[in-house]
Amino acid sequence: MAFQTVWYQTSMPPEIVEIMEKSLKERFDEKMQDSRLIGNRLNRDKRNSQNAWVPAADWVGGFLWHYISRANRENFLYDITNIDQESMQYTRYEEGEYYGWHIDSGLSSHYQPLCKDDDKSKSIDFTYTNIESVRKLSFAVQLSDPDDYEGGNVQFMNENQQSYFAPRTKGTIMLFDSRTPHRVLKVTKGVRKSLVGWCVGPRWK
């Protein structure tokens, strides 16, 4: 039986986690901007955090692909090809910040509206372009030590509307079906950092 979420807690040596965290901090902390929703929409009532974009070609992406491939081979067996948009999000949640319930992939993310402004009629013609590559697997790496912050737990919801929390252990790699509802609870003290991304493949058939 396959599982909706999978995580590895002991496979990644602590020394590698420290190097990863330090490397991302030194190169991307100053590039942090307000996190946005799909479609580049800013909505702090839904998502309140900061993030910087890390190229998937970065050594961190190559390192994580091993765990992604392993989880997919052992559990999901999805047809995936690469990390979405060839980039990952280095994310920071400070005190009072959070991310409400959401999914990383759905029908609304498979189609993108194209707004065309007609100067003559002053009307907007909404047309849609089909997106053949869809998010199938999501991943998140816990970069912060659990003692560095309070709150900020990652919560999932399964098909039976039962919720459960992801481990807080530093270095935990979480992998889950991108259609799984999840959220990040409000950080009440300190700072939580993570690296998240999405793996895409051909449309479901």
Side-chain angles (χ1 to χ4, degrees):
M1 182 181 70
F3 297 95
Q4 194 173 23
T5 57
V6 173
W7 38 68
Y8 298 110
Q9 291 179 259
T10 58
S11 298
M12 189 159 56
E15 295 83 2
I16 295 295
V17 184
E18 295 291 341
I19 293 173
M20 182 182 298
E21 180 189 19
K22 181 179 179 181
S23 175
L24 291 170
K25 180 178 180 179
E26 290 177 347
R27 295 180 294 146
F28 297 101
D29 256 17
E30 295 183 355
K31 298 180 180 180
M32 288 280 187
Q33 297 181 340
D34 288 332
S35 298
R36 297 175 179 268
L37 303 176
I38 292 177
N40 202 34
R41 294 179 293 116
L42 181 63
N43 183 352
R44 291 193 180 91
D45 291 332
K46 179 75 172 182
R47 185 183 190 187
N48 189 1
S49 61
Q50 305 90 48
N51 73 268
W53 291 98
V54 179
D58 190 89
W59 73 268
V60 175
F63 184 82
L64 293 178
W65 190 256
H66 161 73
Y67 293 95
I68 294 168
S69 300
R70 176 180 167 187
N72 189 47
R73 182 178 66 252
E74 295 177 352
N75 185 74
F76 300 100
L77 296 175
Y78 291 165
D79 184 6
I80 56 175
T81 56
N82 58 282
I83 294 176
D84 190 19
Q85 302 296 316
E86 295 297 338
S87 58
M88 305 169 289
Q89 283 189 3
Y90 170 50
T91 308
R92 177 176 64 206
Y93 292 90
E94 298 181 348
E95 186 173 334
E97 296 182 337
Y98 58 92
Y99 196 168
W101 285 110
H102 65 285
I103 59 175
D104 293 335
S105 179
L107 287 177
S108 60
S109 66
H110 297 177
Y111 293 82
Q112 291 183 344
L114 298 179
C115 302
K116 298 180 180 179
D117 189 1
D118 187 339
D119 293 333
K120 295 181 180 180
S121 63
K122 300 298 181 183
S123 64
I124 297 178
D125 175 30
F126 286 92
T127 58
Y128 291 80
T129 179
N130 185 267
I131 305 300
E132 288 300 326
S133 185
V134 302
R135 291 178 178 178
K136 295 185 175 180
L137 278 182
S138 300
F139 62 89
V141 183
Q142 174 72 6
L143 295 175
S144 298
D145 189 280
D147 295 331
D148 291 342
Y149 65 99
E150 296 179 4
N153 289 311
V154 180
Q155 186 178 18
F156 294 95
M157 185 80 70
N158 66 18
E159 298 95 332
N160 298 318
Q161 302 301 304
Q162 298 171 322
S163 66
Y164 54 100
F165 293 99
R168 290 167 58 97
T169 307
K170 183 173 182 176
T172 297
I173 305 174
M174 297 171 275
L175 301 110
F176 54 96
D177 187 302
S178 296
R179 298 165 294 186
T180 304
H182 58 288
R183 67 174 175 173
V184 179
L185 297 178
K186 184 180 293 185
V187 172
T188 58
K189 183 179 180 181
V191 177
R192 174 183 180 267
K193 293 184 178 181
S194 61
L195 181 67
V196 303
W198 313 271
C199 302
V200 298
R203 285 178 63 87
W204 300 106
K205 296 180 180 180

